[in-house]
Amino acid sequence: MAKILSGKEVAAALQKDLLERVELLKGKNIQPTLAIVRVGEKDSDIAYERGATKKMSTLGIAVRNVILPADVAEDTLIGAIEELNQDQSVHGVLLFRPLPEHLNYDRVCNSLVAEKDVDAMTTINSGLVYDGSADGFPPCTAQAVMEILDYYNIEVKSARVALVGWGAVVGKPLSVLLLNRFATLTVCHIFTKDVSTPCKNAEIVISAAGKANLVGEQHLAPGQVVIDVGINADPKDPSKIVGDVDFAYAEDLVDAITPVPGGVGSVTTSVLAKHVIMAAEKAGE
């Protein structure tokens, strides 16, 4: 039976450190503040906003919500972001993505100043992450994976890692974080002809493809660590959430696995809070 890599346990460990850092900031009359910019009324965005707001509240981080209609003009959205750029009381800005199709993604995202980009939206911040600079803020979900690996002392250096998923939000940046830690990495995507072989041969399998039960018997082997980033509706019961990995099969085979829910997603908002605190600390230097 696999060890369960609980994201909630990782988040609890992070929280102790973050609470102490928030108190130090408040002692300097700095109130760490996150602005959440939401375009439209998508259920997934609203749910994440609710969870993020709750997490910030437990840590003493203030939240400012900027809600705009789905048909917002591009210049109006950019104007709202530029106001947050100028507001010295705001330390981090989170913009929900993807944006409606009528908006120019690159233009909107790069209107945010890099020092407030706590989820790697801007080209500048992405470049800093690529270079392994401590000044860059990696995307929160990708960083959450690394936090879990570190908390459970799972060695990345030299490890054979198979990463299933090439997306801009998780897969690509996570591949950079893993390479910066000297993992021996294979990235599999929709055009990979043989996904099963690199997965079977890996010591660590990470799936961020966004497809329910994609990773199963043909991909897994005894002794592996499996990190499941996927959050999908269960094909058998859409009211339930499942990951990319066939958990029922994997749990009896591999050494360790993250659950869904209760795994990577449980750490993501804690990483967001950590980035806001880091931004506030840098602003107060």
Side-chain angles (χ1 to χ4, degrees), residues 174-230:
L174 180 53
S175 70
V176 171
L177 296 179
L178 290 164
L179 288 172
N180 285 346
R181 298 274 288 273
F182 299 102
T184 301
L185 179 67
T186 301
V187 180
C188 303
H189 47 74
I190 193 170
F191 295 109
T192 302
K193 293 181 179 179
D194 177 14
V195 177
S196 61
T197 298
C199 285
K200 281 273 192 183
N201 292 333
E203 295 164 274
I204 302 172
V205 176
I206 305 172
S207 185
K211 185 174 181 181
N213 300 320
L214 174 68
V215 177
E217 182 177 359
Q218 69 271 35
H219 306 97
L220 302 176
Q224 293 177 321
V225 171
V226 178
I227 307 293
D228 192 348
V229 187

Side-chain angles (χ1 to χ4, degrees), residues 8 13-14 20 42 48 53 60 65 70 89 91 100 110 135 145 154 164 167 177-178 180 187 200 211 216 224 250 276:
K8 293 180 180 179
L14 285 171
E20 292 172 355
K42 288 195 294 186
Y48 187 82
T53 300
N65 302 88
S89 69
H91 303 101
N110 284 303
D135 292 327
V145 172
I154 297 166
V164 181
L177 296 179
L178 290 164
N180 285 346
V187 180
K200 281 273 192 183
K211 185 174 181 181
Q224 293 177 321
V276 174

